[in-house]
């Protein structure tokens, strides 16, 4: 049974940082496509970053709105993908979701467009003074 669980959300002031984690059960991140998405009230869900774990930092994609501020990475336990968010602004607030494909697909995991079959429940991020 494949499941994902996000954690690390919270409330920060503008300019602050948060570290979100996506823990997998039922499979391990060996050569998989993993993504972070977010959704704020009144807006559609948008992709934040996608990584193919089989190549580490060699195959990572960021949305224009977060590039240079957010970093997606793997923990060495093989079960966790992290989204480190720096210089957070109010427009970054919302519910953050992780998604993964337990089946390796190196050809399709090549950009910000991917259809993930497994999703987590989300973790809330608030940015305010």
């Amino acid at each position: 049974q494949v499941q994902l669980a996000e954690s690390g959300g919270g409330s920060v002031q503008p300019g602050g940082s948060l570290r979100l984690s996506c823990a997998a059960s039922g499979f391990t991140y060996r050569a998989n496509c993993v993504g972070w998405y977010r959704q704020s009230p009144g807006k559609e869900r948008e992709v934040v970053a996608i990584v193919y774990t089989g190549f580490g930092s060699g195959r990572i994609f960021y949305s224009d709105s977060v590039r240079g501020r957010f970093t997606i990475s793997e923990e060495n336990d093989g079960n966790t993908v992290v989204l480190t968010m720096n210089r957070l602004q109010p427009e970054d607030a919302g519910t953050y979701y992780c998604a993964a494909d337990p089946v390796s697909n190196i050809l399709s995991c090549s950009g910000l467009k991917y259809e993930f079959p497994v999703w987590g429940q989300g973790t809330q991020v608030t940015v305010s003074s």
Side-chain angles (χ1 to χ4, degrees):
Q1 184 176 355
V2 177
Q3 296 185 49
L4 302 175
E6 303 96 336
S7 62
S11 181
V12 299
Q13 294 181 330
S17 299
L18 283 174
R19 184 178 184 270
L20 307 182
S21 296
C22 178
S25 61
F27 77 104
T28 57
Y29 299 125
R30 297 186 183 277
N32 304 94
C33 202
V34 182
W36 280 98
Y37 295 75
R38 67 187 181 188
Q39 186 170 21
S40 59
K43 295 183 178 180
E44 298 292 326
R45 185 185 65 192
E46 63 177 337
V47 63
V48 175
I50 288 177
V51 62
Y52 187 71
T53 60
F55 294 94
S57 61
R59 186 167 290 195
I60 299 175
F61 310 94
Y62 296 100
S63 68
D64 291 340
S65 62
V66 308
R67 186 179 296 109
R69 298 188 298 122
F70 292 10
T71 302
I72 189 170
S73 59
E74 303 173 59
E75 294 290 336
N76 58 16
D77 62 2
N79 293 291
T80 305
V81 170
V82 171
L83 182 70
T84 302
M85 306 184 295
N86 298 314
R87 304 195 303 279
L88 285 161
Q89 299 299 315
E91 56 265 33
D92 295 315
T95 304
Y96 281 70
Y97 302 88
C98 67
D101 189 348
V103 178
S104 179
N105 195 336
I106 186 174
L107 295 179
S108 296
C109 197
S110 59
L112 291 174
K113 183 179 179 181
Y114 197 89
E115 295 185 3
F116 288 100
V118 182
W119 292 79
Q121 293 294 106
T123 185
Q124 191 70 34
V125 172
T126 302
V127 185
S128 63
S129 300

